[in-house]
Amino acid sequence: MKKIFVIATTVLAGLATTSCDSYLDINQSPDSPTEANMTASIMMPAAEMNLVASYGDFLRIAGGYHAQYYSQTFGTSNYLDYSQFNMSATRSSGTYTQLMSRTLKSLDQILKIARENEEWGTYLAATTLKAFTYQVLVDCYGEVPYTEAMQDLDNMSPKYDDGDFIYSAMIDSLDKAMAHITTGEEKVCTNILYPSDDPSDLTVTPISYPWYQFASALKLRMLMRMSKVKDVKAQIQAIIDEGELPTEDIMYAGIWKEESGQASPFFSEEEWSKFGSTQKNVIANIALIGTMIQTVNGQGYEDPRLAAMFKPGDSGWAGGVSGTNFSTTKQYKSSYWCRPRVAYDDPVYFITVAEIDFFLAEYYASIGDHATAEKYYNAAIEASFDTYGVEGADDNMALFPYDANNYQKCIGIAKWVALAGINTFEGWCEVRRLGYPAFGTTTGDDLYNEDTDTYSPDKYVPGTLYTPIKVFNQVGAGKLLQRYPYAESSSARNGNTPAFPGYTSPVFWAK
C-alpha cells in the first residue's frame, strides 16, 4: 500500500543540519535566522520533530506498558513502574514541556504567520498538528492549560481547561481551517510538507489531498472519543458524507537516517547500540502473545502480524508478565523473551486506515447498521494486515468475526491487536474508552510466581488483561491506569493546577 508521508524529503535536508541531532528546536541554534526573519517553513520542522519525538518514543513506550503490549525484560528496571501501572508527575514532565513549550508555541507562531500571509495550506497543516497535540495532552492528563496557555507567554500560572472544552475547541479550529481550502487556487499545493508545483493536483472535486484528509481523520478520532459522553452522530455522519477520509496511513516516514540522532525515535531509544544506546527494556507481554497465538474452536492459530511486531526469543513466542522484571529468575533470562522488531527507518504512525475503519465500524454499530459495521470491521482487519505487510486477513476474520451482539468487545480486542506494533498510545486510549480487552480473573501472580520462579503462560485467557504483579497501590487490582498526574514541570510553579482526581479517574471521554 502506498503510504502518505507526513513530512517531505525536502524538509529532511534542513532537519539534517539544524535539528535532528536531538529532534529538537532549530530556533536555539546560533546559525538560525532571527525572530524577525522567521518563516513557517523554517519553524515547522522543529515543531514537528518535538511532536514526533514525544509521540514516537515516550508515549509509545508508556502506552505500550499501560495497555499490556509490553512488559519489562529480565534484570532491568527502567520502566518497571509503567509495567505496574504507574506514572509519576516527574516521569512525564519532559514530554509535557516538549509538547507545551516547544511544539505548541512554535505552531502558534506558524499559525500567526500563515494567517497574515493567507497561506491556508500551511495554516491547515499547523492547525491539524496543534489539534493532534492537544488531543494527546488531554488523553494523558484530562485537563491542561489551553485558553491562557499561549495568550501571555509570561504567565507562569495559566488556568487548566477541561478536556471536553479543549476537544470541542480543537474540532472547531479544524473546521475553520478546512473551510479555507476549496480549490488549488488557494495555493494549498505549496504548503511546506506536501510541496507540489502542479495546482491541478488539488483542483479536483471533492477535495482530495493529505492534510485535509489528515484533519478529517483526526476529527473522526476525537468525535468518536467524545461519542460516549456527547451526541456527536451528526458531526460524524457529516465527515463520512464528505468522503475525505484517508485511504492510506498517515505517518512520518522517509525522513530517518542511519546516523546518530537521526533514526526513528523508538529505535534510537531501545535498539541502537551502534550509537551508544544501552536500553534493552521492552519485551512482548503475555497478554499480546497469548491473544495472537491461541486455540480457536479447536484450531491452533498464530497471527502473522506478530512476527512483524516482535522477534521470537530463544524459546519461541514467550511473553513477559506485567509488574516484574524477573530479576531473581534462574532460568528466564533476557534472551528468553520476545523483543520488538524495529529498524532505524520505522515510520511514526499518527493515524492508520485500520484505526479509521474500526471507528467507522463502531459508529455504524452504534446506530444499528450492523451490515455496514461488519463491512468496516473486515476492512479494518484487512488494512491492518496491509500495514504490517503480511497475508492472512481472511483467516483472521473467519476465526474472529464481527459480533453484532457484542460489537464493542470484538472491535475493542481486534483494534487492540491491530495497534500493538505501530501505535501503542492510541491502543491504551481505546482500551480505556471501550473497556476491551477487559480484565479476567487471572492475575500476574498466577502467570509468574516470583518465589518459585514458575512461569505459567497456559493460565492466561486470550483477549483479557490481568492485574500486574506488585500493581501500583493507587490503581489496584482489576483496574487500568486512567490518567497521568499533572506534570511536575507545570504543577510545581502553577498555582492554578487543580487537585489531582486520582489515577483511576477517567478522562472526560471514558466516563
Side-chain angles (χ1 to χ4, degrees):
M1 179 169 75
K2 181 182 177 183
K3 305 296 185 181
I4 292 176
F5 293 166
V6 183
I7 183 168
T9 53
T10 52
V11 177
L12 176 60
L15 283 171
T17 59
T18 57
S19 66
C20 265
D21 283 347
S22 62
Y23 301 114
L24 299 181
D25 48 337
I26 57 174
N27 303 333
Q28 301 304 311
S29 169
D31 298 321
S32 295
T34 64
E35 183 175 350
N37 294 325
M38 277 295 174
T39 65
S41 61
I42 292 173
M43 298 181 69
M44 185 67 90
E48 288 177 291
M49 286 298 97
N50 277 290
L51 175 56
V52 173
S54 296
Y55 193 70
D57 187 8
F58 172 81
L59 291 173
R60 173 171 178 164
I61 290 171
Y65 282 97
H66 296 147
Q68 287 195 333
Y69 295 132
Y70 301 156
S71 57
Q72 187 67 29
T73 194
F74 166 80
T76 66
S77 59
N78 281 25
Y79 306 125
L80 184 58
D81 52 342
Y82 300 172
S83 182
Q84 295 169 347
F85 290 177
N86 191 2
M87 174 59 69
S88 72
T90 302
R91 290 280 254 173
S92 70
S93 284
T95 292
Y96 176 88
T97 299
Q98 195 164 13
L99 294 177
M100 289 291 294
S101 298
R102 293 173 178 161
T103 302
L104 288 173
K105 286 183 179 179
S106 293
L107 289 172
D108 267 16
Q109 289 298 309
I110 293 166
L111 287 168
K112 179 181 177 182
I113 294 169
R115 185 167 52 244
E116 290 172 350
N117 295 333
E118 297 187 359
E119 297 172 358
W120 299 122
T122 298
Y123 189 82
L124 176 60
T127 300
T128 304
L129 293 176
K130 180 177 179 178
F132 187 96
T133 304
Y134 266 114
Q135 174 235 303
V136 168
L137 287 165
V138 169
D139 294 350
C140 284
Y141 299 101
E143 305 80 32
V144 291
Y146 170 65
T147 53
E148 296 181 1
M150 305 299 160
Q151 291 176 356
D152 181 2
L153 299 184
D154 294 326
N155 181 4
M156 303 299 288
S157 296
K159 73 171 185 176
Y160 279 60
D161 292 286
D162 291 338
D164 56 351
F165 173 81
I166 297 172
Y167 255 54
S168 296
M170 288 295 95
I171 290 171
D172 183 60
S173 72
L174 287 168
D175 285 337
K176 291 177 179 176
M178 294 166 77
H180 283 292
I181 310 301
T182 56
T183 69
E185 307 303 323
E186 311 245 76
K187 296 184 178 179
V188 294
C189 59
T190 60
N191 79 71
I192 63 175
L193 300 183
Y194 290 97
S196 171
D197 296 325
D198 182 4
S200 65
D201 290 348
L202 305 171
T203 55
V204 295
T205 303
I207 304 160
S208 182
Y209 55 90
W211 277 113
Y212 197 97
Q213 293 179 340
F214 184 6
S216 295
L218 182 57
K219 281 176 57 182
L220 177 66
R221 175 192 280 168
M222 297 176 78
L223 288 166
M224 287 302 297
R225 294 260 162 93
M226 299 171 71
S227 64
K228 285 193 172 183
V229 296
K230 184 177 181 180
D231 184 0
V232 292
K233 289 186 177 66
Q235 290 170 273
I236 294 170
Q237 188 62 54
I239 293 172
I240 296 170
D241 291 344
E242 187 180 26
E244 281 299 329
L245 288 167
T247 57
E248 300 171 332
D249 295 341
I250 302 290
M251 61 187 182
Y252 276 74
I255 62 170
W256 312 113
K257 290 186 174 182
E258 196 170 4
E259 298 178 16
S260 179
Q262 298 188 44
S264 190
F266 182 63
F267 178 84
S268 293
E269 183 76 24
E270 274 289 309
E271 282 289 342
W272 215 352
S273 57
K274 177 180 177 181
F275 289 102
S277 175
T278 60
Q279 305 300 308
K280 298 288 182 182
N281 298 291
V282 173
I283 57 175
N285 199 300
I286 184 59
L288 184 63
I289 297 288
T291 298
M292 297 187 78
I293 302 177
Q294 58 172 291
T295 300
V296 184
N297 299 326
Q299 177 181 348
Y301 176 71
E302 180 176 320
D303 193 318
R305 292 172 293 181
L306 180 59
M309 300 176 188
F310 291 92
K311 297 174 286 189
D314 289 348
S315 61
W317 295 114
V321 181
S322 294
T324 182
N325 60 353
F326 307 93
S327 59
T328 60
T329 184
K330 298 175 182 174
Q331 52 188 324
Y332 304 115
K333 305 298 184 182
S334 296
S335 61
Y336 186 85
W337 310 107
C338 304
R339 287 277 293 161
R341 190 179 295 280
V342 291
Y344 79 89
D345 56 351
D346 280 347
V348 174
Y349 290 88
F350 272 23
I351 301 179
T352 62
V353 173
E355 185 184 356
I356 293 167
D357 284 342
F358 277 125
F359 280 133
L360 295 175
E362 182 189 348
Y363 167 72
Y364 280 107
S366 73
I367 61 175
D369 186 350
H370 291 289
T372 305
E374 182 175 12
K375 181 188 76 171
Y376 279 108
Y377 175 84
N378 291 339
I381 291 174
E382 290 178 354
S384 175
F385 273 72
D386 196 359
T387 292
Y388 287 104
V390 297
E391 303 291 333
D394 289 342
D395 291 339
N396 187 276
M397 286 183 278
L399 291 171
F400 306 101
Y402 174 76
D403 182 359
N405 295 318
N406 202 347
Y407 69 85
Q408 289 194 5
K409 180 178 181 179
C410 73
I411 290 173
I413 294 175
K415 181 186 283 190
W416 177 73
V417 170
L419 290 169
I422 54 174
N423 205 325
T424 60
F425 176 78
E426 301 303 331
W428 175 54
C429 292
E430 289 300 286
V431 173
R432 288 183 284 158
R433 185 178 70 88
L434 291 171
Y436 291 101
F439 282 85
T441 57
T442 300
T443 68
D445 289 313
D446 296 325
L447 298 170
Y448 178 70
N449 186 306
E450 290 187 308
D451 294 330
T452 62
D453 197 24
T454 304
Y455 175 53
S456 305
D458 56 301
K459 294 182 179 180
Y460 171 73
V461 178
T464 64
L465 303 180
Y466 60 90
T467 300
I469 298 171
K470 297 183 180 127
V471 64
F472 181 44
N473 62 6
Q474 294 189 52
V475 173
K479 297 178 182 178
L480 273 180
L481 174 71
Q482 292 286 339
R483 64 161 70 210
Y484 296 170
Y486 304 119
E488 186 180 51
S489 54
S490 173
S491 62
R493 63 185 184 182
N494 187 342
N496 286 321
T497 304
F500 179 50
Y503 292 89
T504 58
S505 175
V507 300
F508 85 95
W509 46 251
K511 292 179 179 178

